[in-house]
Amino acid sequence: QAAIDAAHTAGVFINCSAGNFGGVGFPAQLPNVVAVGGTDHNDNGGGFSTGPEILVAAPSSNIVMCDLGGGYTTSSGTSFGSPMVAALAGMALSINPNLSPAQVADVIRDGADDVGAPGFDTQTGWGRINLATTLGLVDTTVDIFGTGTLTAQGKVPLVGWGGGSAVVGNSQFQLELDDVRFGSTAILAVGLGSTPVPTPFVGGNFYVDLAKPILWDVRVADANGHADYAFPIPADPNLQ
């Protein structure tokens, strides 16, 4: 326990299988360790260990693996789910190495799919891990549009208008962001603000105000640094 606490203080994220028989075992039960429960292919708890210490669950039933002497076999247990959580933590830290162990645990928890009883339950915790959702939560810095000025984080994303003209009732109008950091959260919004966006629109220019968005969506930037959202322009006199 002293070694685990020292590693945690030094910034090491630690998770461990909860076990398969009854309560959560040692060291998964320790406060500085993320206890991982198990699920089957139907997202059921799978009859593994249960306890209030379990944060999340991961696939642990009938996992295909190499067999000693050649070939493949299957086996079950939370020992298979735990390394999946470790891999997810590693991917999160590869995007944002400044995350603390607690922050890594938070994004894994918040990104999990709630597959058991609503909210927390003692068999799957807050849910079965979800790689895509978790990585979308890693970098909560809002990427804004600009002119591509170089910053410490790279280029400021570029805004684009595609998929049709910005006219009332056009459902193909599309807001695009390019040069967005992979895995970062891009908020795309249209609202009534004080700074005009230089794009043609009925009666004048678009205005963007992230504090009071009229239309908005959140996208996770893809591997090409692109995020987009197509939406209809409502028949709102305030937008004319």
Side-chain angles (χ1 to χ4, degrees):
Q1 180 172 351
I4 287 174
D5 291 343
H8 183 271
T9 301
V12 179
F13 173 83
I14 304 170
N15 66 272
C16 184
S17 57
N20 307 319
F21 311 102
V24 176
F26 181 89
Q29 61 191 223
L30 297 177
N32 288 331
V33 178
V34 169
V36 181
T39 55
D40 63 16
H41 65 286
N42 290 318
D43 277 338
N44 294 318
F48 301 108
S49 290
T50 63
E53 301 91 346
I54 294 177
L55 183 73
V56 291
S60 300
S61 182
N62 294 319
I63 304 299
V64 178
M65 62 181 183
C66 296
D67 197 7
L68 184 64
Y72 299 90
T73 188
T74 61
S75 189
S76 301
T78 55
S79 292
F80 297 102
S82 181
M84 295 187 190
V85 172
L88 181 54
M91 295 184 72
L93 287 166
S94 73
I95 295 175
N96 187 349
N98 295 319
L99 293 175
S100 68
Q103 289 173 322
V104 174
D106 285 346
V107 295
I108 291 175
R109 177 200 63 203
D110 294 344
D113 292 340
D114 191 1
V115 296
F120 175 84
D121 65 81
T122 57
Q123 196 166 62
T124 62
W126 292 99
R128 187 252 307 124
I129 60 171
N130 183 317
L131 182 147
T133 305
T134 296
L135 296 187
L137 296 173
V138 169
D139 186 351
T140 56
T141 300
V142 176
D143 278 301
I144 62 174
F145 60 84
T147 59
T149 304
L150 289 177
T151 68
Q153 298 294 335
K155 290 184 178 180
V156 173
L158 299 173
V159 70
W161 310 90
S165 301
V167 296
V168 170
N170 188 338
S171 62
Q172 300 301 313
F173 182 74
Q174 184 166 295
L175 177 62
E176 300 177 344
L177 287 177
D178 291 305
D179 293 330
V180 184
R181 284 168 290 164
F182 168 63
S184 63
T185 301
I187 295 181
L188 303 100
V190 176
L192 297 177
S194 58
T195 305
V197 177
T199 186
F201 189 65
V202 178
N205 292 319
F206 253 157
Y207 292 79
V208 173
D209 184 354
L210 291 179
K212 298 178 180 178
I214 291 178
L215 299 169
W216 66 278
D217 197 55
V218 177
R219 288 287 187 268
V220 176
D222 61 23
N224 297 317
H226 181 79
D228 62 69
Y229 177 54
F231 50 80
I233 303 299
D236 185 342
N238 293 321
L239 292 178
Q240 298 184 28

